[in-house]
Structure formats: structure tokens, C-alpha cells
Amino acid sequence: MLTRAEHSKRIKQKRLIFRSLMILTFLVFIALVINSYLALQNNEIQIISKWHECKPNNCEYKLAIENRSKLQKVVFIRINAFFRKAHPEGGDTFHIVNSQRIEINMEQSSKKEITGNLKVPLKAHFLKFTVGSI
């Protein structure tokens, strides 16, 4: 049997642990909210419009990007060409057949249009564009 002093000490320890867990949970929540806000603010480089057409051994593309960030002046674009392979049992697999990275200096203008060709060894089915900052 616990004495009254020992019982009070255990109750205080449990309350302290519970308060610590509540504060830690609150701080993690605040950190997640701040992280989400910063991720939204960092998403200032966007693809406005894109077009591509893939022919055997060549994919043509047109891309318009917008940079609303005041801090990031150099933007990169990653272009991946994919080949889709259909399986007789069902389902598809996608293979990258070529990749290209382009760096663009956007100090003079916040909007740029890029056109070009991407050589592919096979017939590529589609292109995927990814933008980011350096």
C-alpha cells in the first residue's frame, strides 16, 4: 500500500508526463502547419501551358513557365520521355527513354516560353515536365 506522499508523487509524475506529451503534440502540429505554409510559398514556379507531340525518334515540345519568386532567378526544367509497354496479362509499365535538364535565367522576365526537340531512341509515348529552382 502506498502512503499518501508516495501516491501524490506518482500523480504529479503522471500529470507532468501528460502535460509534456500535450505540449510536444502541439509543437509538432505547429511545425506541420509552418511546413505546409512554406511549401505553398515555395511553389512559385509553375508551368502555365505545355504541349508535346512524339514521333519516332523525336519529341517536340512547347512549354511556358512563370516564376513569381523574387529570390529564385535561375530555374531548371527536367524533361523525361516515357515509353509505355503494355503487358498481355494486363497493366502497363513505363520506362524513361531519355531525359534532359535545361537551366533558364529569369532575371529579365517572369514568364518564358521554351520550345525544343528531345531525341529518343524509341517511340516515346509522352513527356513529363518538372520545374524547380537551383
Side-chain angles (χ1 to χ4, degrees), residues 44-51 61-69 72-79 102-106 109-115 129-133:
E44 295 179 342
I45 302 166
Q46 295 182 344
I47 297 174
I48 300 170
S49 66
K50 59 185 173 181
W51 169 87
Y61 61 88
K62 265 187 204 174
L63 187 67
I65 61 171
E66 181 181 21
N67 183 8
R68 290 183 276 153
S69 172
Q72 301 160 342
K73 299 297 180 190
V74 178
V75 174
F76 75 86
I77 302 168
R78 167 78 58 199
I79 304 168
I102 303 169
E103 289 185 13
I104 301 167
N105 188 352
M106 299 190 74
S109 172
S110 65
K111 292 184 181 180
K112 289 257 179 155
E113 288 197 14
I114 299 105
T115 59
F129 302 98
T130 308
V131 294
S133 62

Side-chain angles (χ1 to χ4, degrees), residues 4 9 22 56 74 102 125:
R4 185 176 204 142
K9 187 177 178 181
M22 292 302 291
V74 178
I102 303 169
H125 288 96

